[in-house]
């Protein structure tokens, strides 16, 4: 865009919401507000799906006190979508953007949303319409490539770490009641979120004891052997499983609970933990049960990582600066620095390299069996979850000698 | 007890742990510490079950900085049990208490634990052993009679209220993805905890829309009719179900997931939400899924109600004062006052009136169909959950007129 012409900007949110996706939205809005070359600042309701229906709102008309409150509000305030562009959609979207004099698009989302932004940019180039589209990363799954990590992950990881610490204290207080407990996390094809359950672990005996991650095909015999060994040593065992783990035949553990496919053909599962509980009950004759925090893990307003929230704001603001610097068809990335202490700067990567690619956990973050993390993972993940986790008090249990 | 004789005190914790059961423990310990007539201050590990094995620790030997940290630590730090006294157990327990010169017992727990304390007091009276036993209430189920409410409930209610507010914002951001969501709470035979999911509801259309409580037998036709009506009006419906709801034949909804019985013969369920999800999928052909926060709802260290924590400390301390005043075979109760503002004093009730009795929700806290609470419930429950719940920001969604 010619920087001397005023043009309108539209912002959208897409994919599974997070506890900080609104921080990126506010970051983009407040950065746009500072710049005289941005005229209208619009929002598309429910992402591209709403844009195609002309469900557009004027963000300059919102009450002034909204924005500071929105930063701490989980979920996608604009509404979200999981819509895969159909033939003719990009051209129809361009017609609508043109009719509103919109030349800037900020699209906040994960892999599939990056693909949508890419398709819009391609269609505009093909049609000769001056449009710049920047994708702003967001996903609790932390599976976007080319970025050190993804906004949304730090808060969800904090939730899972704390939930594992807190909820398993019930097992510890009365281990023989339900000696085996399985916690199911989200995470699609990457184990980042399930692995974050270890972040409050200070000792080998602290929960969780076994991670079941999509980075390795599930083997029932090895699993039962590990559960039994830990049970014999401690009197209980805590397992954390990622919802989309598959067995050696490629069949999802939770296939029993399979409830359909979303528009992107990812299987939607609900039964991995239940399956692992049944295995233990049937083969080890131990009482077992599962927790499944579900949507709460990505939406908990009292578990937001301050680091994650700050970075989510930062990538939103940097998306708008990239547009004003003439960039398009790119995603904002986070670049980690460790000197003098942990902080992130931002970069840009071509959307053509991103779309639909997933980053799983590297081998050096996991032990040989891929059922526990290594120190390298702690070094990677601890700075992302904000304030240090609490240290719960433990009694000295030395028995009185009569 | 003769107040001029020094005697030893022992404290135990029993039943399902809560986020504030340690606050009662600290309250009892610190009150005992103040009194010169109390000699040894002991702890039984894993309640009566540990006492019978002489698993006893000396609480005066714990590091001094422990107690202030323990107040904020969820779960039963002494360990818990779910043990029903067998023939001969009370006499065996008395022998052990006698050998340690223990004449005071504080037993922190719910209905079943009150029964244990009562059996100990009865056996001592029968044996002519000078023993005073006081029960300190604790249960997230809020189902103890004769007390306005139970320590532990306020924090669990805060968790469920906030979890319902936060997690359902994901449904609101993209209703057509999973239009029906079911959240399963704990609560045995009373709906107090499931009902607390409404405490963040400020408008009829806010989630949750339907409560399925044990106070009424479940009727599938009525349920499906209600879900469908709300879905037609809003495009989505949020249901909260208490884990132990039964159908009109008295069969638990979650019987599929039944995994055994505990020592008190209460059925242990895990499948009520799953059953309600399946009903919706099969009969309404709507996509539905469930969240089941499980143990986290009673153990979340970042969701402790300040009011609940203060009252838990208060009943623990008052238990020791009751012992020193010569009381025995009683449970501490909370008595509500509303002038000049909400606060509680404490009372005492005979354990013989408590044991194994459960208090369900009164009719005037529920509407006619018993699927939603009334204002009377808000007036009852809101003071218990501590600080006001957050108000999440909402965009004005007036569409731009071209």
């Amino acid at each position: 865009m010619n920087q001397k012409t005023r043009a309108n900007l539209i912002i959208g949110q897409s994919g599974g919401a997070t506890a900080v996706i609104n921080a990126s939205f506010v970051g983009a809005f407040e950065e746009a507000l500072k710049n005289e070359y941005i005229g209208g600042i619009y929002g598309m309701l429910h992402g591209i799906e709403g844009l195609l229906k002309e469900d557009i709102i004027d963000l300059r008309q919102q009450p002034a006190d909204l924005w500071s409150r929105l930063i701490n509000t989980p979920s996608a305030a604009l509404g979200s979508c999981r819509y895969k562009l159909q033939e003719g959609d990009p051209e129809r979207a361009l017609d609508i953007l043109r009719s509103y004099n919109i030349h800037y698009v900020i699209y906040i989302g994960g892999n599939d949303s990056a693909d949508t932004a890419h398709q819009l940019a391609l269609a505009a180039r093909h049609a000769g319409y001056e449009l710049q589209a920047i994708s702003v990363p967001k996903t609790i799954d932390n599976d976007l490539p080319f970025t050190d990590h993804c906004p949304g992950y730090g808060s969800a990881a904090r939730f899972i770490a704390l939930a594992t610490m807190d909820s398993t204290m019930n097992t510890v207080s009365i281990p023989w009641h339900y000696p085996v407990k399985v916690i199911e996390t989200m995470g699609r094809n990457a184990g980042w979120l399930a692995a974050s359950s270890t972040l409050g672990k200070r000792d080998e005996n602290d929960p969780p004891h076994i991670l079941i991650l999509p980075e390795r095909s599930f083997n029932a015999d090895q699993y039962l052997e590990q559960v039994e060994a830990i049970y014999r040593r401690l009197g209980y065992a805590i397992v954390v499983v990622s919802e989309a783990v598959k067995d050696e035949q490629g069949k999802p553990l939770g296939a029993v609970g399979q409830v359909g496919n979303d528009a992107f053909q990812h299987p939607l599962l609900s039964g991995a933990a239940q399956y692992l509980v049944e295995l233990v009950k049937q083969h080890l004759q131990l009482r077992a049960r599962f927790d499944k925090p579900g949507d709460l893990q990505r939406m908990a307003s009292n578990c937001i990582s301050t680091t994650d929230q700050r970075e989510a704001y930062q990538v939103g603001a940097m998306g708008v600066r990239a547009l004003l610097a003439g960039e398009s068809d790119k995603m904002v990335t986070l670049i980690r620095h460790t000197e003098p202490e942990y902080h992130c700067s931002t970069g840009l990567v071509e959307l053509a390299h991103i779309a639909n690619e997933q980053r799983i956990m590297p081998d050096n973050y996991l032990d040989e069996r891929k059922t526990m993390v290594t120190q390298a993972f702690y070094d990677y993940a601890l700075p992302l979850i904000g304030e240090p986790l609490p240290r719960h008090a433990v009694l000295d249990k030395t028995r009185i000698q009569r």
Side-chain angles (χ1 to χ4, degrees), chain A residues 17-18 139-143 150-164 183-200 208 210-215 240-244 293-299 303 308 359-361 365-366 373 377 380-381 384-385:
Chain A
T18 78
T139 170
I140 61 164
D141 294 345
N142 202 39
D143 60 356
C150 305
Y153 173 63
S155 297
R158 184 176 184 83
F159 177 92
I160 291 294
L162 194 56
T164 305
I183 300 172
E184 181 175 307
T185 75
M186 294 177 162
R188 232 152 58 169
N189 297 321
W192 296 103
L193 201 51
S196 71
S197 63
T198 62
L199 294 174
I210 305 170
L211 302 174
I212 306 291
L213 307 176
E215 276 75 5
V240 176
V241 63
S242 188
E243 61 182 350
D295 283 328
L296 185 58
Q297 69 198 282
R298 50 174 163 194
M299 308 294 281
C303 231
D308 189 30
R359 184 183 58 146
I360 61 169
M361 292 182 76
Y365 284 9
L366 297 171
V373 295
F377 174 74
Y380 168 81
L384 313 183
I385 64 167

Side-chain angles (χ1 to χ4, degrees), chain A residues 353-369:
Chain A
H353 299 157
I354 292 281
N356 306 319
E357 199 182 311
Q358 292 180 333
R359 184 183 58 146
I360 61 169
M361 292 182 76
D363 285 348
N364 68 319
Y365 284 9
L366 297 171
D367 69 6
E368 214 173 315
R369 290 192 293 193

Side-chain angles (χ1 to χ4, degrees), chain A residues 165-355:
Chain A
M165 284 177 71
D166 286 350
S167 72
T168 59
M169 291 187 76
N170 190 58
T171 309
V172 175
S173 80
I174 177 170
W176 49 87
H177 191 46
Y178 279 98
V180 178
K181 181 193 181 74
V182 180
I183 300 172
E184 181 175 307
T185 75
M186 294 177 162
R188 232 152 58 169
N189 297 321
W192 296 103
L193 201 51
S196 71
S197 63
T198 62
L199 294 174
K201 189 176 164 93
R202 272 109 181 184
D203 177 275
E204 193 201 351
N205 289 343
D206 287 345
H209 307 112
I210 305 170
L211 302 174
I212 306 291
L213 307 176
E215 276 75 5
R216 174 158 183 178
S217 305
F218 178 73
N219 177 292
D221 291 336
Q222 189 204 322
Y223 162 72
L224 289 167
E225 201 177 290
Q226 273 191 285
V227 171
E228 192 170 24
I230 290 156
Y231 171 73
R232 281 180 192 278
R233 184 158 56 85
L234 300 178
Y236 60 96
I238 309 292
V239 180
V240 176
V241 63
S242 188
E243 61 182 350
V245 170
K246 296 191 175 85
D247 67 14
E248 285 156 338
Q249 284 72 49
K251 194 180 156 216
L253 302 193
V256 172
Q258 193 153 354
V259 285
N261 289 297
D262 73 11
F264 292 94
Q265 302 303 318
H266 310 303
L268 300 162
L269 311 170
S270 73
Q274 207 164 7
Y275 175 76
L276 296 184
V277 159
E278 291 304 322
L279 275 183
V280 166
K281 283 158 63 181
Q282 287 173 27
H283 294 274
L284 302 180
Q285 280 78 50
L286 290 173
R287 287 159 65 101
R289 62 179 170 181
F290 70 94
D291 293 348
K292 187 185 165 195
D295 283 328
L296 185 58
Q297 69 198 282
R298 50 174 163 194
M299 308 294 281
S301 61
N302 68 346
C303 231
I304 292 175
S305 153
T306 47
T307 306
D308 189 30
Q309 189 181 53
R310 190 177 59 240
E311 291 173 349
Y313 185 97
Q314 184 184 5
V315 292
M318 288 308 292
V320 170
R321 284 207 221 169
L323 289 172
L324 292 166
E327 298 284 359
S328 182
D329 203 8
K330 290 180 179 159
M331 184 186 83
V332 181
T333 60
L334 285 167
I335 301 165
R336 176 187 300 236
H337 306 276
T338 53
E339 299 295 338
E341 56 192 10
Y342 170 87
H343 67 284
C344 279
S345 59
T346 59
L348 291 169
V349 59
E350 299 277 348
L351 283 177
H353 299 157
I354 292 281

